[in-house]
């Protein structure tokens, strides 16, 4: 199997599960385990903190000792085994323990997939946007399937779809991986220091922390927020998919339109879009406003993520890529989301709109940092 096809299939299967876990797990905990929104938020936040730790330390350490091809098989299997422990556990403490254990392994598949893509861009000349768009398609399919299934068999079925997705992910992972992934990357000694010494990395990762972290309320409370707007569960999956469809279109054309653009320019556009998006959702509790702002996802997530990948490709040493991806997944997609999930949960209990306007305020400094990045002429 060609490297491009292999990567596309595995992006699809992983993001199918991600499209279930990310937007629906808070709702599943609330409806199936009878938790309050605040209690479910605490469990999700605990998982995000564990995710932050594991992607920052566990994934880079594993990538030093095992090939990415081996980890592609091991992580989905271990994650699926731990996932099954959610079935018998009902207590708040027990659910938090299971969530922490699950978050030590499952989220590491994300930086691993991105590391695979970054390495294959160099060794096999694959088109990142083309394969990553299949990840977005997988996310879309996951959202639709869960929305329809939950409407027919209630929110209890969310877990069953997650199990099916996990089996699909394992099946995709056990296909023979490209030769470039069969050997250990062997990151340099002191790789964390080396990564942070890479010109512009601290500035870039700070921008990513702000932009990606500001999605916390959307990912964790979007499902509940739409129910609050009296939207049927059957339609919620389709509504959330508008964001992913815009992301699919973006990744399909990203290489053509943004391949030679400086990362600072892309981060600047993404940060402005983020401020506007979350302010509109928070200030105007309307289904139509929510629908329109879904299109902004191609910029607030897609463009910001693509900008980081292009920066990585241009500026970070090949041996440091797994570590850099771990830092990005930990700080940009984990720790910031954990903190802002807690903040969003508190604000949501006061007023649902505040959970989104708070994200708009949190991401605003990214605009200024993008300008600084441009002035420093960072790739």
């Amino acid at each position: 199997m060609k490297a491009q096809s292999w990567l596309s299939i595995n992006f699809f299967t992983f993001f199918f599960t991600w499209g279930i876990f990310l937007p629906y797990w808070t709702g599943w905990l609330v409806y199936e385990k009878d938790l309050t929104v605040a209690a479910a938020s605490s469990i999700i936040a605990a998982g995000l903190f564990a995710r932050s730790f594991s992607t920052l330390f566990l994934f880079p350490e594993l990538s030093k000792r095992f090939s990415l091809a081996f980890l592609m098989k091991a992580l989905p299997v271990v994650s699926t085994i731990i996932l099954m422990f959610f079935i018998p556990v009902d207590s708040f403490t027990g659910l938090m323990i299971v969530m922490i254990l699950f978050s030590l392994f499952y989220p590491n598949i994300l930086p691993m997939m991105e590391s695979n893509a970054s390495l294959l861009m160099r060794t096999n000349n694959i088109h990142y946007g083309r394969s990553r768009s299949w990840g977005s398609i997988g996310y879309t399919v996951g959202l639709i399937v869960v929305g329809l299934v939950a409407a027919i068999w209630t929110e209890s079925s969310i877990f069953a779809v997650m199990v099916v997705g996990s089996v699909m992910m394992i099946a995709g992972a056990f296909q023979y991986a490209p030769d470039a992934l069969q050997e250990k990357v062997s990151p340099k000694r002191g790789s964390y220091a080396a990564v942070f010494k890479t010109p512009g990395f601290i500035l870039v990762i700070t921008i990513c922390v702000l932009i990606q972290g500001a999605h916390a309320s959307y990912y964790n409370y979007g499902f509940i927020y739409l129910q609050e707007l009296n939207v049927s569960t059957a339609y919620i999956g389709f509504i959330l998919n508008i964001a992913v469809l815009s992301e699919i279109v973006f990744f399909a054309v990203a290489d053509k339109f943004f391949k030679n653009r400086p990362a600072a320019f892309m981060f600047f556009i993404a940060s402005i879009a983020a401020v506007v998006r979350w302010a509109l959702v928070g200030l105007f509790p309307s289904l139509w406003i929510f629908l329109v702002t879904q299109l902004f996802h191609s910029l607030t997530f897609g463009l910001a993520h693509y900008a980081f990948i292009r920066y990585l490709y241009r500026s970070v040493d090949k041996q440091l890529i797994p570590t850099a991806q771990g830092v990005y997944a930990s700080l940009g997609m984990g720790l910031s989301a954990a903190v802002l999930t807690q903040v969003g949960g508190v604000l949501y209990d006061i007023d649902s709109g505040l959970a989104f306007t708070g994200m708009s305020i949190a991401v605003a400094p990214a605009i200024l940092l993008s300008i600084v990045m441009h002035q420093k002429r960072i790739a």
Side-chain angles (χ1 to χ4, degrees):
M1 180 180 292
K2 293 182 179 179
Q4 189 84 56
S5 300
W6 180 89
L7 188 64
S8 298
I9 289 171
N10 282 283
F11 262 130
F12 178 90
T13 56
F14 168 71
F15 276 97
F16 179 89
T17 65
W18 202 237
I20 301 164
F21 182 73
L22 206 60
Y24 285 105
W25 214 247
T26 302
W28 181 76
L29 289 171
V30 170
Y31 295 108
E32 179 65 15
K33 298 299 183 178
D34 200 28
L35 298 176
T36 64
V37 172
S41 298
S42 296
I43 290 173
I44 294 294
L48 287 168
F49 279 115
R51 170 186 171 183
S52 178
F53 168 82
S54 66
T55 52
L56 184 61
F57 298 107
L58 183 60
F59 171 66
E61 287 301 315
L62 288 174
S63 66
K64 291 179 184 178
R65 291 166 171 74
F66 304 99
S67 69
L68 291 174
F70 173 80
L71 294 177
M72 274 296 298
K73 298 178 177 67
L75 289 178
V77 170
V78 173
S79 299
T80 302
I81 292 172
I82 298 174
L83 176 68
M84 304 310 293
F85 283 93
F86 276 106
I87 296 175
V89 177
D90 289 314
S91 69
F92 174 82
T93 303
L95 288 168
M96 182 168 286
I97 292 172
V98 176
M99 177 62 78
I100 290 172
L101 290 173
F102 185 66
S103 299
L104 289 176
F105 295 95
Y106 173 66
N108 280 299
I109 300 172
L110 180 56
M112 179 177 62
M113 287 300 306
E114 297 294 354
S115 295
N116 291 338
S118 297
L119 289 173
L120 292 175
M121 283 170 67
R122 298 188 181 192
T123 59
N124 293 67
N125 200 31
I126 62 103
H127 295 280
Y128 174 79
R130 188 182 303 170
S131 286
R132 183 57 181 78
S133 65
W134 278 100
S136 300
I137 292 170
Y139 193 95
T140 298
V141 174
L143 280 174
I144 291 176
V145 170
V146 169
L148 292 175
V149 171
I152 298 172
W153 288 293
T154 75
E155 287 79 4
S156 300
S157 58
I158 292 172
F159 185 87
V161 181
M162 183 67 178
V163 172
V164 172
S166 297
V167 172
M168 290 169 49
M169 182 170 58
I170 292 172
F174 270 81
Q175 298 176 91
Y176 185 79
D179 292 339
L181 307 179
Q182 299 293 338
E183 299 180 2
K184 289 185 288 187
V185 178
S186 300
K188 296 177 180 177
R189 182 175 298 176
S191 54
Y192 287 108
V195 165
F196 280 98
K197 287 180 181 177
T198 302
F201 184 81
I202 293 178
L203 191 55
V204 167
I205 203 66
T206 302
I207 294 171
C208 289
V209 162
L210 295 172
I211 296 177
Q212 301 294 6
H215 288 81
S217 287
Y218 172 71
Y219 288 144
N220 291 293
Y221 313 120
F223 174 58
I224 300 172
Y225 181 74
L226 286 170
Q227 288 186 321
E228 194 173 295
L229 293 177
N230 297 315
V231 178
S232 169
T233 302
Y235 297 115
I236 289 177
F238 290 97
I239 292 170
L240 294 177
N241 256 321
I242 295 173
V244 190
L245 290 172
S246 71
E247 181 185 311
I248 291 171
V249 173
F250 170 80
F251 281 122
V253 302
D255 290 330
K256 180 178 180 180
F257 292 101
F258 293 99
K259 186 176 182 179
N260 298 316
R261 288 283 191 175
F265 170 78
M266 292 187 273
F267 280 131
F268 180 72
I269 299 300
S271 56
I272 290 178
V275 170
V276 174
R277 180 185 185 184
W278 305 128
L280 287 175
V281 173
L283 295 174
F284 303 98
S286 160
L287 174 59
W288 292 107
I289 292 295
F290 193 93
L291 288 171
V292 170
T293 57
Q294 286 289 82
L295 298 174
F296 283 56
H297 198 72
S298 59
L299 302 177
T300 61
F301 173 79
L303 184 58
H305 181 71
Y306 184 82
F308 177 78
I309 295 297
R310 294 309 304 180
Y311 166 79
L312 204 68
Y313 173 73
R314 294 168 183 162
S315 304
V316 178
D317 187 280
K318 174 184 174 181
Q319 291 182 311
L320 297 175
I321 285 177
T323 302
Q325 285 287 359
V327 172
Y328 172 63
S330 173
L331 303 183
M333 311 285 277
L335 183 61
S336 60
V339 173
L340 291 176
T341 292
Q342 287 284 57
V343 173
V346 173
L347 293 176
Y348 198 97
D349 277 345
I350 298 172
D351 181 85
S352 56
L354 284 177
F356 295 96
T357 53
M359 299 302 110
S360 180
I361 295 170
V363 75
I367 299 175
L368 297 177
L369 293 177
S370 301
I371 295 173
V372 172
M373 185 178 171
H374 172 72
Q375 292 173 339
K376 291 181 176 293
R377 299 184 181 278
I378 297 170

